[in-house]
Amino acid sequence: MFAGRAWGCPKPQPGGAKFRFRKAGRTPRTPGRYHGCTAVLSTKHGKEVVIGPPLKALLGLAVQVPAGLDTDTLGTFTGEVERVGTPLEVAVRKARLGMDAAGLPLGLASEGSFGPDPRVPFVPLHHELLVFVDDRLQIQVVEQMMTNRTNYDHTTAASFADLAGFLDRAGFPSHAVVVRPNTGLETRLLHKGLRTVEALQAALRECASASRDGLARVETDMRAHMNPSRLAVIRRLAFRLGRRLLRCCPVCETPGWGVVDVIKGLPCEECGHPTGLVSELVEACPRCTHHVNRPRYDGRKTASAGNCPYCNP
Ligand SMILES: [Zn+2]
Ligand SMILES: [Zn+2]
């Protein structure tokens, strides 16, 4: 099935076929089918520094960033361009932007979303998704994670002195901030990527005086190159994606075998009633319909009574 030579990849070496027979669910130490290939990463925010090395080390896959690509046309965190569609749709569109620009069949893109955690009051939630698109195999392989370890936050301030606590929590100056007027229609005033006290003070003065209430709105800058916390999450996803692309479907041998869904209902240890906790993971092939339900990685068979809607209503 994979005998043909795909554009962007080296010619298969004799004997390469021996790597094709792998057991699903295990990460082999042999190079995968992407060894020597190049994938386009669509980013204008330096994500290649954390996505490139893991994929090179795990897969032998080179990552290339096309020059002059403007991914902001698909949406910005600061709202100048509204994001249309789900994060996955946006990530795939973004990957295709780069694939079209470079004329390569392999593409990568990540998409981050931030907001309040619906499960925990006053705690921010970061959802990050990394997608790999292979047009030769017609597959999309997705790794994603949710974490509360983000500095996502905003505040208002009349002067620099008002910001002491906020800047501490935001991780300034290693993490940049964004400043704009708190009210009014002056949308042209938007200072992004502020990483020095001087630049922040100047932006505060300008935006506070342009705002009807005399306040500037100060936000954490969530763009990857301005936010080391976010970069760390993308790096973890790159490792996960690399390991996933080494795992092949036991039926059709397509790379990218891994968890695509979870089944909830882990039984209560006291009464056996299904709880909201995950009981099984669904692993599937990105190409054919083959899938397998497997137990939780941690081996847990029951949930504590504290999670049970009957024992602990
Ligand atoms: Zn129970
Ligand atoms: Zn398959």
Side-chain angles (χ1 to χ4, degrees):
M1 188 187 299
F2 302 144
R5 187 188 170 196
W7 208 64
C9 288
K11 204 170 178 176
Q13 294 303 306
K18 71 181 173 218
F19 298 133
R20 288 171 47 187
F21 300 99
R22 300 193 193 102
K23 212 172 162 186
R26 280 174 46 191
T27 305
R29 261 180 274 177
T30 48
R33 65 171 279 115
Y34 294 112
H35 196 267
C37 297
T38 299
V40 189
L41 171 64
S42 302
T43 181
K44 58 181 277 197
H45 298 145
K47 292 174 186 169
E48 65 273 17
V49 297
V50 289
I51 293 177
L55 296 185
K56 186 76 188 172
L58 287 166
L59 302 171
L61 174 72
V63 169
Q64 169 199 317
V65 178
L69 198 70
D70 189 4
T71 51
D72 280 356
T73 55
L74 298 176
T76 60
F77 289 118
T78 29
E80 307 98 297
V81 184
E82 199 191 334
R83 188 171 80 177
V84 181
T86 65
L88 178 59
E89 287 165 356
V90 174
V92 170
R93 227 178 288 148
K94 202 189 284 184
R96 293 207 170 281
L97 208 64
M99 291 159 72
D100 290 346
L104 286 175
L106 307 178
L108 289 155
S110 94
E111 183 68 16
S113 310
F114 300 87
D117 190 334
R119 303 161 301 183
V120 198
F122 309 114
V123 171
L125 182 67
H126 171 193
H127 172 226
E128 188 79 35
L129 175 155
L130 178 61
V131 66
F132 174 75
V133 179
D134 181 341
D135 262 355
R136 300 165 312 176
L137 296 178
Q138 298 186 318
I139 56 167
Q140 294 171 12
V141 180
V142 183
E143 279 292 340
Q144 50 190 320
M145 67 183 282
M146 302 255 198
T147 176
N148 296 119
R149 295 187 68 173
T150 171
N151 68 338
Y152 179 70
D153 201 0
H154 70 88
T155 189
T156 53
S159 70
F160 186 72
D162 299 342
L163 285 176
F166 174 83
L167 292 178
D168 235 24
R169 290 194 302 279
F172 181 86
S174 68
H175 293 65
V177 294
V178 174
V179 177
R180 62 174 117 204
N182 190 43
T183 59
L185 298 169
E186 188 51 275
T187 49
R188 279 178 301 122
L189 270 187
L190 175 61
H191 297 273
K192 295 195 203 183
L194 301 172
R195 264 181 159 161
T196 65
V197 173
E198 297 73 34
L200 174 54
Q201 282 175 326
L204 273 175
R205 274 194 300 274
E206 188 184 8
C207 294
S209 62
S211 180
R212 268 173 300 175
D213 58 5
L215 294 174
R217 181 182 161 94
V218 185
E219 303 161 22
T220 47
D221 195 329
M222 304 318 293
R223 294 173 300 160
H225 62 315
M226 292 291 156
N227 197 308
S229 303
R230 179 163 177 229
L231 266 187
V233 169
I234 297 173
R235 182 170 179 273
R236 282 177 66 186
L237 282 180
F239 274 105
R240 283 195 199 173
L241 180 70
R243 286 192 291 268
R244 187 176 186 131
L245 288 172
L246 285 170
R247 298 171 74 197
C248 293
C249 171
V251 171
C252 74
E253 296 170 20
T254 300
W257 176 267
V259 175
V260 295
D261 203 0
V262 295
I263 296 170
K264 292 184 180 175
L266 195 67
C268 167
E269 61 186 356
E270 294 289 332
C271 71
H273 191 83
T275 66
L277 299 193
V278 171
S279 67
E280 283 185 318
L281 308 171
V282 182
E283 292 188 336
C285 171
R287 191 173 201 209
C288 76
T289 56
H290 185 60
H291 62 277
V292 171
N293 288 19
R294 50 155 296 154
R296 290 168 60 113
Y297 289 132
D298 61 8
R300 256 178 95 175
K301 295 275 195 297
T302 55
S304 76
N307 295 110
C308 176
Y310 278 89
C311 300
N312 187 29

